[in-house]
């Protein structure tokens, strides 16, 4: 019944975390292209021959992930996420995530509507996350081969400029139904 109501309203059907929850709550399995994240098993699969360790380091105010590719901090509250602008930084322990730029156009017509923030960390320049606050991380740009500085390219990026440049890298869209780091109203 709820699925039918959500579909009729034209909204994407996404699992929302509880206010005090973390990334390891619920099913805790997420797929981005050929990368699989399993927060229960604590493994990021697809980034190394046998996978890499993955930890949910979330607290009451921030979502936090510690993995090889999926290393980020995001605000849990939509109020904070919706106000994010390029240059803003979220930090928890040794993990920081910077808002690098904004995109207004989705990669695909099937993507969640709304402005997208490009997020990254200068310490890991070959990874840039595409984030929609209400939907969480919707895709990740990763250059595991050439190690190009995607973070520098995404800084201050508007419109499609970053997508055109990064198109040569491997964009991995979210394939699973559950959201990863969606803000809580």
């Amino acid at each position: 019944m709820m699925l039918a109501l959500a579909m009729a309203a034209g909204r994407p059907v996404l699992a929302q975390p509880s206010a005090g929850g973390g990334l390891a709550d619920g099913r805790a399995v997420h797929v981005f292209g050929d990368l699989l994240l399993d927060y229960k098993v604590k493994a990021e699969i697809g980034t190394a021959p046998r996978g890499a360790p993955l930890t949910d380091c979330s607290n009451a105010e921030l979502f936090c992930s510690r993995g090889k590719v999926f290393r980020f901090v995001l605000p849990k509250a939509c109020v904070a996420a919706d106000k994010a602008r390029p240059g803003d930084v979220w930090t928890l322990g040794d993990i920081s995530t910077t808002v690098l730029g904004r995109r207004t156009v989705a990669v695909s017509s099937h993507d969640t509507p709304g402005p997208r923030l490009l997020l990254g960390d200068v310490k890991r320049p070959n990874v840039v996350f595409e984030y929609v606050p209400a939907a969480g991380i919707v895709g990740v740009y990763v250059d595991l081969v050439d190690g190009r500085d995607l973070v520098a390219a995404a800084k201050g990026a508007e419109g499609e400029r970053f997508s055109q440049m990064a198109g040569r890298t491997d964009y991995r869209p979210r394939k699973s139904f559950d959201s990863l780091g969606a803000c809580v109203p």
Side-chain angles (χ1 to χ4, degrees):
M1 178 64 127
M2 291 194 65
L3 176 63
L5 290 173
M7 290 176 72
R11 291 193 216 151
V13 179
L14 301 169
Q16 294 294 323
S18 63
L23 300 170
D25 291 353
R27 287 181 277 191
V29 175
H30 307 277
V31 179
F32 289 82
D34 60 350
L35 297 175
L36 182 131
L37 313 174
D38 189 331
Y39 285 96
K40 297 266 190 218
V41 175
K42 298 183 179 182
E44 182 181 277
I45 300 169
T47 56
R50 293 196 172 124
L54 180 69
T55 306
D56 177 358
C57 45
S58 303
N59 67 16
E61 287 105 29
L62 299 165
F63 289 115
C64 178
S65 177
R66 182 178 283 116
K68 182 175 180 177
V69 171
F70 283 82
R71 185 177 181 90
F72 61 82
V73 176
L74 301 170
K76 286 186 178 181
C78 288
V79 171
D82 290 337
K83 290 181 181 178
R85 298 291 176 253
D88 290 353
V89 180
W90 300 302
T91 301
L92 186 59
D94 64 339
I95 301 174
S96 291
T97 301
T98 302
V99 179
L100 305 168
R102 292 178 73 85
R103 290 186 55 234
T104 54
V105 179
V107 170
S108 155
S109 62
H110 300 288
D111 286 345
T112 305
R116 286 150 158 57
L117 298 175
L118 298 173
L119 308 175
D121 179 359
V122 294
K123 295 177 191 169
R124 299 174 51 252
N126 64 323
V127 178
V128 170
F129 297 101
E130 187 176 30
Y131 170 70
V132 176
I137 294 175
V138 296
V140 60
Y141 293 90
V142 184
D143 187 347
L144 294 173
V145 179
D146 299 324
R148 288 184 302 124
D149 193 342
L150 299 174
V151 167
K155 279 187 181 177
E158 296 290 338
E160 290 303 296
R161 189 182 70 193
F162 174 72
S163 295
Q164 290 170 357
M165 189 293 297
R168 297 180 310 222
T169 65
D170 195 5
Y171 178 73
R172 293 173 167 111
R174 183 180 68 210
K175 302 276 186 182
S176 47
F177 291 110
D178 291 338
S179 62
L180 178 64
C183 68
V184 180

